[in-house]
C-alpha cells in the first residue's frame, strides 16, 4: 500500500482526478513519508506534524468526511481560530524552516477535497437509528470503498440501501419512494452539476495539487538535500564537536602540561641559578682540571719516557746480564713446551704447566700433587709461540759462528715433545736448523766486503752407539761399512775424521745437504711418537773465515743436534729393535747427564768418553763453545714425571760454568800471534821493571823530601826561639853597656881631674897634643886616609844600626868582654877604641870590613870544640882587635881570664845565634825554595837524580832573590838545606 501510494505520489499525473480518497491517501502517504523523513531528522519540529499525522490517520477511518471535518477544523482551527496558539504558531512558523511550514499548507489544501467527497452524507442526519445503523454499515462499506479505490462506490452503496428500504416498505412507501426518488434524481442532477463543478474544481485543484505536489516534491527534494546537507553539517558539527572536545581535551592537557612545564621552568630557573653559581666553580674546576690534565699529560709523557727508559734499561740490563752469563760461560737453556695433541685433547688431558711468568723465563709445573715447582731458564716458550719467536732468540748464535766461535745448539727432552719440530721444523714452519743457516748466509752476504767465508756441511748420527755419516749414500745402519770415531785433532778440538764435508755456497745448497742427512736418519714408530727419532742426529756446519782487513783467519763450527728422545721403556712398551734403540738412547743420555753433573760439580774428571754423544759434544761442553740447549717438555699432566726429569736436568745444565768461549783463530795465525804476544809480554815485563824502579826512586825522593821538610820546620822553630832569646839578651846588653859607658865617663873625668892636678902641681905646662892618648895615636891610620871626625860622634850612644855592623859588633864584643871582666882599664881602653874619632877607627875598620858579614852566619855546631870553623869565625874579630889594640888592650883580661872566657863564649854564642836568626829572616824563601827544589827533584827523578839535584841547586839562589857565592852554597850545604 505504501509502495503503491508512493508510486502514485511519484506518478501523480496518471492518477484519476476523481478519486479523492486516493488522493487523500496519496497525500497522507506523502505526509507519512514526510513524517518518516522528519522522524529520521530529530531536529525537524514535530508537534504539528504529529497532529497532522494523527489527523490523517483518522481521516482514513469509516466516516472519513465526518471525522476529517473536525480534524480539518482542528487543523485550520489550530491555525486560524485558536487565538491562544496563534502566537505560538506564528512563532513556530516563524522559527520553523520553510519546508516545514509548507507541509501543513499543502495538507490544508487537500482538506477541502476530502470534505467535498464526504459532504453528501450530512443531509441524512434526520435518519432513524436503524437507518443510521445502515448508514453506518453503508459508511463502513463506503469506508471500504475508498480502500478498494473506486471513486463512486459510496454513492451506489447509498442507493442500494435506499432500494432495500424501499423493498422493505413496499407498497406504502412506494409513493414516498418515488418522491424521494425524484427528489433524489433531482438531487442527483444537482449533484451531477455540483459534481461537474466539483470535477472542474477538482481538476483545477488537481492541477494545483499537481503543482503543489511538484513543488512539494521539489521541496522534499530540497528538504532532502537540505536534510542531507544538514545531516552532513550535523555530522560535520558532530565531528567538529568531537574535534572541539578533543581539542579541548588537548588544550586541557596542554594547559596541564604548560602548568607542569611552568613549574618545571621555575625549577629549572632555580636550577639554572644554582648552575650559574656552579658555573664559576666549574670554570675554576675546568682550569684546575686543565692544569691537572696538562700536568697529567706531562706526567704521562714523563712516565712514558721513564717507561721507555726503564724498558731500555731493563733490556740493557738483560743484555748485560746475558753478556755476563756469556762471559761466565754458562750454557744457555731455552725451554719449549709443545701443545696438547689431538689424542690428548680427546682424552681430556689437562695442562700441567703454568706459563704466567714465562716472560721472565719462569715456568711452574703443577704436577699431580699440590706442590708446585718453579724452574727458571734463559727463555721459556709456551705452546702458542711459533718457530719464528723461538728463532728470534737463537739468531745471535749465527753471528757468533761467523765471528769465529764454536756454537752448539741441541734439543733435549722426552720422546714426542717436539725436539725434531724445533730443530728441523716442517715445510710450513721451519725450525732452527733452516733459520740459522739462512741467518748465517745473510750475515755472510752482509759482510762480503770485509770477510770471506768458506762453509762446509756434514751430517752424522749416533745410532746404537755408532757414528754414521748421513751424507754417505747407503749409510743406513745395516749397510754402513765405514766406522767413524771421534778423534782429538788439536788441543781442545775434536773431530770425526773421514766425515763427508760438503762445501756449500748458498742457503739452498746447505739446506739440500742437511735435508739429505735428515732423511737418512733412522726414524721409527713408537707408542709415544709415530715418527720417533731413534738416533741422535748431528749436523755440523764448518765455517772458515778470513778478515780481509787484517788477514785474521777463523775456523769455527756450528753443531745442530737433535737428540733422540728419552723414553720409559715400560711406558712405550718397546720391544726388539726398538728396545735396543731405546736402551742405547737412554744410555747415551745418561752419559750426558753424568758429564753435566761432573761439570756442575767442577769435578776433576769429566767422563766425556763414556759415550759417542758426549765425546762428540766434548768441545761444546768443555768451554770453548757457546752452547744452547732446548729442553722440550710435554704439557700433559700424565707426563709430569718425565717433564720434571727433563727440567731438573736442564736446570743442572744451566748451572754449569764453562768459562768464556774462545775464538777459534786459525792455528798458523795463532803461532804468529803467540810470538807477538810473547814479545809483547817481555816488553811488558821490562817496562814493568822500569816502572817499578822509578816508582821506588820516586818513593825514596818523596821520603827525603819529607825529611827535609821536617828538618826545615825544626830549624825554623829553633830560629824563632833564638830570636826571642836574642831580643832579651840585646836589651840586657844595651842596659849594661849604657851603665858601663856612664861609669867610664865618670872615671875618666876623675882621672883627668887627678892627672890635671898632678900636672899642675909637679910639672910645667904642656901642649894640647901631649894630652892625647898614645893608644889613640897608635890606632890612628895614616894621616892622609883618616878623615877627621866630629868629636861629638864619639859620644854617640851605642847603636845597633845595620849601617855600623862591624863597629857595633866589635864594640859590642869589647864592651861585653869588659863587662864580663869588670876591668875598668880594659873597659876604658875598649871605650876609647870604640868611641875614638874616625882617624883612630879607620885602620881597624879597614881590617874588619873585608870580613864578610856572612862569616858570622855560619850555623853554630852543638859543641864548639868539635867545630873549629865557627870558633875561628868567632875568634877572628877578637884576634883582630887584639892585633890592633894598644899594649894594655893587646892582652885583654877577657882572653886570659877563664871566667871571662866562658862568659865571652856565651856572649859570642848569643851573637852568633842572633846573626843566625838574621840569616833565617833575610832569606825566608830559601827553605821554601828548598822544598820546591825537592819537589822538582822528585818530579825529575825519572830523568835522573843528579840532574834533579842540579836543577834544585840552580833554583835555590833564584828563589832566594839575591845571588849568593860559593861560600853561601857551601854553608847551605852545611846546614843541609839542599839535601
Ligand atoms: N711446538 C709445537 N707446535 C706444534 N706441534 C708440535 C710442537 N712440538 C711438537 N709438535 C708435534 O708433536 C709431534 C712430535 O714432535 P717431534 O717428532 O718433533 O718430537 P720429538 O721430541 O722429536 O720426538 P722423538 O724424540 O720421539 O723423536 C709432531 O707431530 C710435531 O709436529
Amino acid at each position: 500500500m505504501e509502495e503503491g501510494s508512493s508510486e502514485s505520489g511519484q506518478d501523480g499525473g496518471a492518477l484519476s482526478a476523481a478519486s479523492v480518497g486516493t488522493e487523500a491517501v496519496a497525500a497522507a502517504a506523502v505526509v507519512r513519508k514526510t513524517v518518516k523523513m522528519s522522524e529520521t531528522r530529530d531536529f525537524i519540529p514535530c508537534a504539528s506534524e504529529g497532529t497532522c499525522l494523527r489527523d490523517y490517520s483518522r481521516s482514513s477511518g469509516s466516516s472519513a468526511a465526518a471525522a476529517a471535518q473536525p480534524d480539518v477544523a482542528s487543523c485550520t482551527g489550530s491555525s486560524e481560530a485558536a487565538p491562544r496558539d496563534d502566537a505560538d504558531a506564528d512563532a513556530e512558523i516563524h522559527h520553523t524552516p520553510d519546508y516545514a511550514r509548507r507541509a501543513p499548507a499543502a495538507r490544508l489544501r487537500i482538506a477541502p477535497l476530502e470534505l467535498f467527497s464526504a459532504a453528501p452524507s450530512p443531509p441524512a442526519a434526520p435518519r432513524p437509528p436503524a437507518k443510521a445503523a445502515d448508514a453506518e454499515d453503508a459508511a463502513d462499506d463506503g469506508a471500504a470503498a475508498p480502500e478498494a479505490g473506486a471513486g463512486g462506490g459510496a454513492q451506489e452503496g447509498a442507493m442500494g440501501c435506499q432500494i432495500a428500504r424501499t423493498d422493505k416498505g413496499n407498497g406504502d412507501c412506494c409513493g414516498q419512494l418515488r418522491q424521494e426518488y425524484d427528489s433524489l434524481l433531482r438531487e442527483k442532477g444537482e449533484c451531477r452539476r455540483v459534481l461537474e463543478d466539483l470535477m472542474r474544481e477538482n481538476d483545477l485543484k488537481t492541477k494545483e495539487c499537481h503543482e503543489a505536489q511538484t513543488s512539494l516534491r521539489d521541496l522534499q527534494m530540497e528538504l532532502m538535500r537540505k536534510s542531507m546537507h544538514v545531516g552532513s553539517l550535523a555530522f560535520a558539527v558532530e565531528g567538529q564537536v568531537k574535534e572541539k572536545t578533543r581539542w579541548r581535551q588537548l588544550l586541557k592537557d596542554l594547559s596541564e602540561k604548560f602548568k607542569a612545564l611552568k613549574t618545571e621552568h621555575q625549577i629549572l630557573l632555580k636550577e639554572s641559578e644554582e648552575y650559574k653559581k656552579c658555573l664559576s666553580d666549574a670554570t675554576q674546576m675546568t682550569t684546575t682540571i686543565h692544569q691537572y690534565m696538562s700536568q697529567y699529560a706531562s706526567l704521562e709523557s714523563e712516565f712514558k719516557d721513564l717507561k721507555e727508559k726503564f724498558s731500555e734499561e731493563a733490556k740493557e740490563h738483560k743484555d748485560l746480564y746475558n753478556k755476563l752469563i756469556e762471559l761466565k760461560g754458562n750454557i744457555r737453556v731455552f725451554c719449549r713446551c709443545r701443545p696438547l695433541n689431538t689424542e690428548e685433547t680427546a682424552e681430556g688431558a689437562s695442562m700441567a704447566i703454568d706459563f704466567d711468568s714465562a716472560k721472565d723465563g719462569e715456568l711452574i709445573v703443577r704436577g699431580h700433587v699440590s706442590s708446585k715447582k718453579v724452574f727458571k731458564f734463559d727463555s721459556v716458550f709456551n705452546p702458542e709461540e711459533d718457530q719464528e719467536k723461538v728463532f728470534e732468540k737463537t739468531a745471535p748464535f749465527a753471528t757468533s759462528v761467523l765471528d769465529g766461535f764454536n756454537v752448539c745448539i741441541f734439543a733435549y727432552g722426552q720422546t714426542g715433545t717436539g725436539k725434531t719440530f724445533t730443530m728441523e721444523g716442517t715445510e710450513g714452519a721451519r725450525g732452527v736448523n733452516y733459520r740459522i743457516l739462512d741467518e748465517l748466509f745473510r750475515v755472510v752476504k752482509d759482510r762480503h766486503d770485509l770477510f770471506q767465508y768458506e762453509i762446509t756441511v756434514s751430517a752424522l748420527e749416533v745410532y746404537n752407539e755408532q757414528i754414521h755419516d748421513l751424507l754417505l749414500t747407503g749409510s743406513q745402519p745395516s749397510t754402513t761399512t765405514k766406522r767413524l770415531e771421534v778423534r782429538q785433532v788439536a788441543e781442545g778440538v775434536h773431530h770425526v775424521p773421514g766425515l763427508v764435508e760438503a762445501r756449500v755456497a748458498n742457503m739452498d745448497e746447505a739446506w739440500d745437504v742437511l735435508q739429505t742427512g735428515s732423511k737418512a736418519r733412522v726414524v721409527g714408530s713408537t707408542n709415544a711418537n709415530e715418527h720417533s727419532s731413534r738416533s741422535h742426529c748431528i749436523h755440523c756446519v764448518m765455517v772458515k773465515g778470513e778478515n780481509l782487513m787484517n788477514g785474521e783467519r777463523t775456523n769455527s763450527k756450528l753443531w745442530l743436534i737433535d737428540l733422540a728422545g728419552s723414553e720409559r721403556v715400560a711406558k712405550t712398551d718397546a720391544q726388539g729393535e726398538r728396545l735396543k734403540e731405546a736402551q742405547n738412547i737412554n744410555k747415551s743420555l745418561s752419559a750426558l747427564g753424568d758429564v753435566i753433573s761432573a761439570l756442575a760439580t767442577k769435578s776433576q774428571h769429566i767422563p766425556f768418553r763414556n759415550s759417542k754423544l758426549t765425546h762428540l759434544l766434548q768441545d761444546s761442553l768443555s768451554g770453548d763453545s757457546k752452547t744452547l740447549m732446548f729442553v722440550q717438555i710435554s704439557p700433559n699432566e700424565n707426563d709430569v714425571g718425565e717433564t720434571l726429569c727433563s727440567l731438573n736436568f736442564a736446570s743442572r745444565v744451566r748451572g754449569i760454568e764453562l768459562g768464556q768461549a774462545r775464538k777459534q783463530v786459525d792455528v798458523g795465525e795463532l803461532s804468529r800471534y803467540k810470538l807477538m804476544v810473547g814479545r809483547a809480554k817481555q816488553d811488558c815485563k821490562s817496562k814493568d821493571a822500569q816502572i817499578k824502579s822509578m816508582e821506588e826512586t820516586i818513593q825514596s825522593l818523596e821520603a827525603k823530601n819529607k825529611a827535609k821538610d821536617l828538618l826545615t820546620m825544626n830549624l825554623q822553630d829553633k830560629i824563632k826561639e833564638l830570636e826571642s832569646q836574642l831580643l832579651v839578651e840585646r836589651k840586657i846588653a844595651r842596659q849594661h853597656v849604657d851603665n858601663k859607658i856612664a861609669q867610664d865617663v865618670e872615671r875618666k873625668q876623675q882621672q883627668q881631674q887627678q892627672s890635671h892636678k898632678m900636672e899642675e902641681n909637679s910639672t910645667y905646662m904642656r901642649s894640647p897634643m901631649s894630652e892625647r892618648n898614645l893608644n889613640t895615636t897608635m890606632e890612628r891610620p895614616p894621616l892622609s886616609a883618616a878623615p877627621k871626625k866630629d868629636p861629638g860622634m864619639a859620644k854617640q850612644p851605642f847603636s845597633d844600626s845595620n849601617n855600623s855592623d862591624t863597629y857595633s859588633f866589635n864594640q859590642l864584643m869589647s864592651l861585653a868582654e869588659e863587662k864580663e871582666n869588670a876591668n875598668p882599664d880594659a873597659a876604658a881602653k875598649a871605650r876609647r877604641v870604640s868611641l875614638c874619632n874616625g882617624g883612630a877607627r879607620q885602620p881597624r875598620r879597614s881590617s874588619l870590613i873585608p870580613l864578610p858579614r856572612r862569616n858570622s852566619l855560619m850555623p853554630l855546631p852543638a859543641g864548639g870544640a868539635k867545630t873549629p870553623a865557627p870558633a875561628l869565625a868567632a875568634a877572628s874579630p877578637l884576634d883582630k882587635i887584639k892585633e890592633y889594640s894598644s899594649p894594655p888592650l893587646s892582652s885583654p883580661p877577657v882572653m886570659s881570664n877563664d871566667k871571662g872566657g866562658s862568659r865571652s863564649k856565651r856572649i859570642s854564642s848569643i851573637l852568633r845565634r842572633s846573626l843566625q836568626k838574621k840569616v833565617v829572616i833575610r832569606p825566608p824563601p830559601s827553605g821554601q825554595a828548598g822544598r820546591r827544589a825537592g819537589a822538582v827533584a822528585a818530579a825529575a827523578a825519572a830523568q835522573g837524580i843528579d840532574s834533579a839535584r842540579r836543577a834544585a841547586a840552580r833554583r835555590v839562589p833564584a828563589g832566594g832573590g839575591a845571588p849568593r857565592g860559593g861560600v853561601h852554597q857551601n854553608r847551605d850545604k852545611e846546614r843541609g838545606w839542599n839535601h
Side-chain angles (χ1 to χ4, degrees), residues 140-155:
D140 289 335
D141 293 335
E147 286 180 12
Q155 234 179 345

PDB file of all heavy atoms in Angstrom, residues 140-155:
ATOM      1  N   ASP A 140     -19.500   2.172   6.519  1.00  0.00           N
ATOM      2  CA  ASP A 140     -18.424   1.189   6.644  1.00  0.00           C
ATOM      3  C   ASP A 140     -18.028   0.651   5.283  1.00  0.00           C
ATOM      4  O   ASP A 140     -16.857   0.527   4.983  1.00  0.00           O
ATOM      5  CB  ASP A 140     -18.843   0.037   7.574  1.00  0.00           C
ATOM      6  CG  ASP A 140     -18.916   0.502   9.030  1.00  0.00           C
ATOM      7  OD1 ASP A 140     -18.197   1.523   9.354  1.00  0.00           O
ATOM      8  OD2 ASP A 140     -19.589  -0.149   9.825  1.00  0.00           O
ATOM      9  N   ASP A 141     -19.178   0.385   4.515  1.00  0.00           N
ATOM     10  CA  ASP A 141     -18.889  -0.121   3.165  1.00  0.00           C
ATOM     11  C   ASP A 141     -18.147   0.925   2.366  1.00  0.00           C
ATOM     12  O   ASP A 141     -17.232   0.624   1.617  1.00  0.00           O
ATOM     13  CB  ASP A 141     -20.207  -0.510   2.442  1.00  0.00           C
ATOM     14  CG  ASP A 141     -20.873  -1.710   3.124  1.00  0.00           C
ATOM     15  OD1 ASP A 141     -20.089  -2.489   3.795  1.00  0.00           O
ATOM     16  OD2 ASP A 141     -22.079  -1.885   2.979  1.00  0.00           O
ATOM     17  N   GLY A 142     -18.745   2.180   2.576  1.00  0.00           N
ATOM     18  CA  GLY A 142     -18.085   3.315   1.880  1.00  0.00           C
ATOM     19  C   GLY A 142     -16.668   3.504   2.296  1.00  0.00           C
ATOM     20  O   GLY A 142     -15.845   3.843   1.505  1.00  0.00           O
ATOM     21  N   ALA A 143     -16.535   3.257   3.534  1.00  0.00           N
ATOM     22  CA  ALA A 143     -15.134   3.375   4.033  1.00  0.00           C
ATOM     23  C   ALA A 143     -14.244   2.351   3.384  1.00  0.00           C
ATOM     24  O   ALA A 143     -13.091   2.603   3.133  1.00  0.00           O
ATOM     25  CB  ALA A 143     -15.105   3.216   5.554  1.00  0.00           C
ATOM     26  N   ALA A 144     -14.896   1.192   3.136  1.00  0.00           N
ATOM     27  CA  ALA A 144     -14.094   0.154   2.491  1.00  0.00           C
ATOM     28  C   ALA A 144     -13.868   0.471   1.032  1.00  0.00           C
ATOM     29  O   ALA A 144     -12.836   0.122   0.483  1.00  0.00           O
ATOM     30  CB  ALA A 144     -14.813  -1.199   2.620  1.00  0.00           C
ATOM     31  N   ALA A 145     -14.888   1.215   0.456  1.00  0.00           N
ATOM     32  CA  ALA A 145     -14.775   1.528  -0.957  1.00  0.00           C
ATOM     33  C   ALA A 145     -13.550   2.346  -1.278  1.00  0.00           C
ATOM     34  O   ALA A 145     -12.837   2.023  -2.230  1.00  0.00           O
ATOM     35  CB  ALA A 145     -16.036   2.248  -1.412  1.00  0.00           C
ATOM     36  N   PRO A 146     -13.341   3.436  -0.578  1.00  0.00           N
ATOM     37  CA  PRO A 146     -12.114   4.172  -0.931  1.00  0.00           C
ATOM     38  C   PRO A 146     -10.893   3.310  -0.849  1.00  0.00           C
ATOM     39  O   PRO A 146      -9.957   3.490  -1.600  1.00  0.00           O
ATOM     40  CB  PRO A 146     -12.006   5.270   0.147  1.00  0.00           C
ATOM     41  CG  PRO A 146     -13.383   5.418   0.676  1.00  0.00           C
ATOM     42  CD  PRO A 146     -14.106   4.106   0.500  1.00  0.00           C
ATOM     43  N   GLU A 147     -10.981   2.381   0.076  1.00  0.00           N
ATOM     44  CA  GLU A 147      -9.818   1.495   0.187  1.00  0.00           C
ATOM     45  C   GLU A 147      -9.672   0.631  -1.048  1.00  0.00           C
ATOM     46  O   GLU A 147      -8.575   0.297  -1.454  1.00  0.00           O
ATOM     47  CB  GLU A 147      -9.934   0.628   1.435  1.00  0.00           C
ATOM     48  CG  GLU A 147      -9.654   1.411   2.702  1.00  0.00           C
ATOM     49  CD  GLU A 147      -9.774   0.530   3.906  1.00  0.00           C
ATOM     50  OE1 GLU A 147      -9.853  -0.701   3.742  1.00  0.00           O
ATOM     51  OE2 GLU A 147      -9.718   1.092   4.991  1.00  0.00           O
ATOM     52  N   ALA A 148     -10.840   0.265  -1.647  1.00  0.00           N
ATOM     53  CA  ALA A 148     -10.790  -0.523  -2.880  1.00  0.00           C
ATOM     54  C   ALA A 148     -10.362   0.328  -4.041  1.00  0.00           C
ATOM     55  O   ALA A 148      -9.991  -0.183  -5.066  1.00  0.00           O
ATOM     56  CB  ALA A 148     -12.173  -1.135  -3.171  1.00  0.00           C
ATOM     57  N   GLY A 149     -10.506   1.608  -3.847  1.00  0.00           N
ATOM     58  CA  GLY A 149     -10.015   2.513  -4.891  1.00  0.00           C
ATOM     59  C   GLY A 149     -11.118   2.943  -5.843  1.00  0.00           C
ATOM     60  O   GLY A 149     -10.836   3.581  -6.818  1.00  0.00           O
ATOM     61  N   ALA A 150     -12.397   2.703  -5.666  1.00  0.00           N
ATOM     62  CA  ALA A 150     -13.439   3.151  -6.565  1.00  0.00           C
ATOM     63  C   ALA A 150     -13.994   4.468  -6.073  1.00  0.00           C
ATOM     64  O   ALA A 150     -14.464   4.545  -4.945  1.00  0.00           O
ATOM     65  CB  ALA A 150     -14.557   2.108  -6.640  1.00  0.00           C
ATOM     66  N   GLY A 151     -14.046   5.532  -7.019  1.00  0.00           N
ATOM     67  CA  GLY A 151     -14.456   6.873  -6.614  1.00  0.00           C
ATOM     68  C   GLY A 151     -15.975   6.942  -6.337  1.00  0.00           C
ATOM     69  O   GLY A 151     -16.412   7.533  -5.356  1.00  0.00           O
ATOM     70  N   GLY A 152     -16.872   6.343  -7.120  1.00  0.00           N
ATOM     71  CA  GLY A 152     -18.312   6.457  -6.923  1.00  0.00           C
ATOM     72  C   GLY A 152     -18.914   5.322  -6.158  1.00  0.00           C
ATOM     73  O   GLY A 152     -20.136   5.177  -6.115  1.00  0.00           O
ATOM     74  N   GLY A 153     -18.263   4.513  -5.589  1.00  0.00           N
ATOM     75  CA  GLY A 153     -18.694   3.334  -4.834  1.00  0.00           C
ATOM     76  C   GLY A 153     -19.583   3.720  -3.682  1.00  0.00           C
ATOM     77  O   GLY A 153     -20.575   3.033  -3.392  1.00  0.00           O
ATOM     78  N   ALA A 154     -19.311   4.835  -3.044  1.00  0.00           N
ATOM     79  CA  ALA A 154     -20.038   5.259  -1.866  1.00  0.00           C
ATOM     80  C   ALA A 154     -21.455   5.637  -2.244  1.00  0.00           C
ATOM     81  O   ALA A 154     -22.420   5.281  -1.541  1.00  0.00           O
ATOM     82  CB  ALA A 154     -19.318   6.438  -1.224  1.00  0.00           C
ATOM     83  N   GLN A 155     -21.596   6.314  -3.374  1.00  0.00           N
ATOM     84  CA  GLN A 155     -22.913   6.756  -3.845  1.00  0.00           C
ATOM     85  C   GLN A 155     -23.763   5.554  -4.179  1.00  0.00           C
ATOM     86  O   GLN A 155     -24.922   5.472  -3.772  1.00  0.00           O
ATOM     87  CB  GLN A 155     -22.710   7.631  -5.099  1.00  0.00           C
ATOM     88  CG  GLN A 155     -23.395   8.946  -4.915  1.00  0.00           C
ATOM     89  CD  GLN A 155     -23.187   9.855  -6.137  1.00  0.00           C
ATOM     90  OE1 GLN A 155     -22.347   9.643  -6.977  1.00  0.00           O
ATOM     91  NE2 GLN A 155     -24.068  10.857  -6.235  1.00  0.00           N
TER      92      GLN A 155
END
